[in-house]
């Protein structure tokens, strides 16, 4: 399974944008890029996913590099409630298994 | 949105006893569910795939006789930790997939997790 690499932690100020990077240099053409986040003592929560094109939803934006070897999750205005561990995961098309990497712990300062 | 519910949210049991954890998809059917385990300050580790009406498939290194999985209906999977020991203390999380027809999105919904403490 293709692996992802994320920084261990990042810090942001409240109401400022946050860019969370993810490297996935061994991605294959059928791999989707998924982002989930996990608050303490809770199960992960879906954030966004994409294949090739950039994606936007009410929670975030996903910017995918042209060669698909990296992607960036963008939180447009961080709030204290966005403090969580963010996981970037690759999923092969038609397979629903997720293998989690270590994720990025996002701290949001008031 | 779709909801996956786990029960119980937390459980304390004595060493040597067995504990059953339930995972339910509340408003959709799931032919496949997945079970994860998470130790403190670590990431989620996939344990097994629960298949409705058939045997579960386990990831390498996971003891199938210790972690019994039953998926008897399209909305319920259970994980039984048999002869639990303190090293089995962990956060257990299940997930199921739902296809969001309107949005055309297929995403995984995770349960809230079950904190198991073996004393």
């Amino acid at each position: 399974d293709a692996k992802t690499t994320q920084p261990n932690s990042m810090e942001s100020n409240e109401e400022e944008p946050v860019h969370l990077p993810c490297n996935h240099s061994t991605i294959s053409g059928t791999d989707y890029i998924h982002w989930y986040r996990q608050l303490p003592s809770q199960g992960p929560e879906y954030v966004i996913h994409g294949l090739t094109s950039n994606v936007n939803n009410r929670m975030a934006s996903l910017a995918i590099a042209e060669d698909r070897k990296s992607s960036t999750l963008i939180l447009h205005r961080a709030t204290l409630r966005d403090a969580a561990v963010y996981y970037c995961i690759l999923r092969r098309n038609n397979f629903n298994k997720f293998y989690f990497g270590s994720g990025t712990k996002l701290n949001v300062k008031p | 949105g779709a909801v996956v519910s786990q029960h119980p949210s937390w459980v304390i049991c004595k060493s040597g006893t067995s504990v059953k954890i339930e995972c339910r998809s509340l408003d959709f059917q799931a032919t496949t569910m997945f079970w994860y385990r998470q130790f403190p300050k670590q990431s989620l580790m996939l344990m097994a795939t629960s298949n409705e009406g058939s045997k579960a498939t386990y990831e390498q290194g996971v003891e199938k006789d210790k972690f019994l999985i039953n998926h008897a209906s399209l909305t319920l999977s259970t994980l039984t930790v048999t002869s639990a020991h303190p090293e089995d203390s962990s956060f257990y999380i299940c997930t199921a997939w739902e296809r969001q027809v309107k949005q055309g999105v297929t995403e995984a919904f995770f349960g809230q997790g079950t904190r198991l403490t073996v004393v």
Side-chain angles (χ1 to χ4, degrees):
Chain A
D1 298 285
K3 290 185 183 290
T4 62
T5 305
Q6 299 176 253
N8 288 332
S9 64
M10 291 185 67
E11 201 164 72
S12 169
N13 293 318
E14 198 175 9
E15 300 200 358
E16 288 187 357
V18 182
H19 291 230
L20 297 166
C22 181
N23 287 320
H24 28 79
S25 58
T26 59
I27 192 171
S28 75
T30 57
D31 286 343
Y32 283 81
I33 303 161
H34 288 253
W35 284 82
Y36 279 76
R37 70 181 185 182
Q38 185 181 26
L39 298 168
S41 298
Q42 294 187 28
E45 172 190 29
Y46 172 81
V47 179
I48 201 166
H49 81 287
L51 183 61
T52 56
S53 303
N54 294 342
V55 184
N56 299 299
N57 67 19
R58 63 177 178 80
M59 287 183 72
S61 294
L62 176 60
I64 301 173
E66 202 168 324
D67 63 5
R68 300 210 325 128
K69 293 186 176 182
S70 65
S71 61
T72 302
L73 178 70
I74 303 166
L75 306 179
H76 296 287
R77 288 181 67 219
T79 69
L80 297 178
R81 288 176 295 181
D82 291 323
V85 178
Y86 286 79
Y87 294 100
C88 166
I89 310 163
L90 299 184
R91 178 183 69 85
R92 191 136 299 171
N93 192 25
N94 295 323
F95 288 91
N96 288 345
K97 281 188 182 182
F98 277 156
Y99 291 95
F100 283 76
S102 54
T104 297
K105 184 175 183 180
L106 175 65
N107 295 314
V108 180
K109 296 186 294 183
Chain B
V3 176
V4 173
S5 177
Q6 282 184 240
H7 178 81
S9 296
W10 59 271
V11 58
I12 302 172
C13 71
K14 290 185 177 180
S15 187
T17 62
S18 295
V19 174
K20 180 184 285 188
I21 302 169
E22 293 185 347
C23 178
R24 293 181 185 274
S25 55
L26 295 187
D27 49 3
F28 67 100
Q29 294 180 334
T31 56
T32 305
M33 295 183 178
F34 300 90
W35 286 95
Y36 290 84
R37 179 169 53 180
Q38 185 176 33
F39 292 109
K41 298 192 185 300
Q42 293 188 23
S43 186
L44 286 79
M45 186 193 79
L46 179 64
M47 298 175 68
T49 303
S50 174
N51 303 299
E52 189 268 334
S54 65
K55 289 183 179 180
T57 53
Y58 292 81
E59 295 295 305
Q60 193 172 6
V62 178
E63 301 174 60
K64 62 180 182 180
D65 293 329
K66 181 166 186 61
F67 299 100
L68 300 180
I69 292 173
N70 184 272
H71 196 149
S73 77
L74 287 171
T75 59
L76 174 65
S77 173
T78 60
L79 169 69
T80 301
V81 183
T82 63
S83 186
H85 291 285
E87 57 265 30
D88 299 322
S89 298
S90 188
F91 194 51
Y92 292 87
I93 307 169
C94 70
T95 184
W97 284 76
E98 188 208 25
R99 182 174 295 276
Q100 301 273 354
V101 178
K102 288 183 181 177
Q103 298 93 334
V105 171
T106 300
E107 61 183 86
F109 292 92
F110 287 81
Q112 76 274 28
T114 297
R115 174 85 50 200
L116 170 63
T117 302
V118 184
V119 298

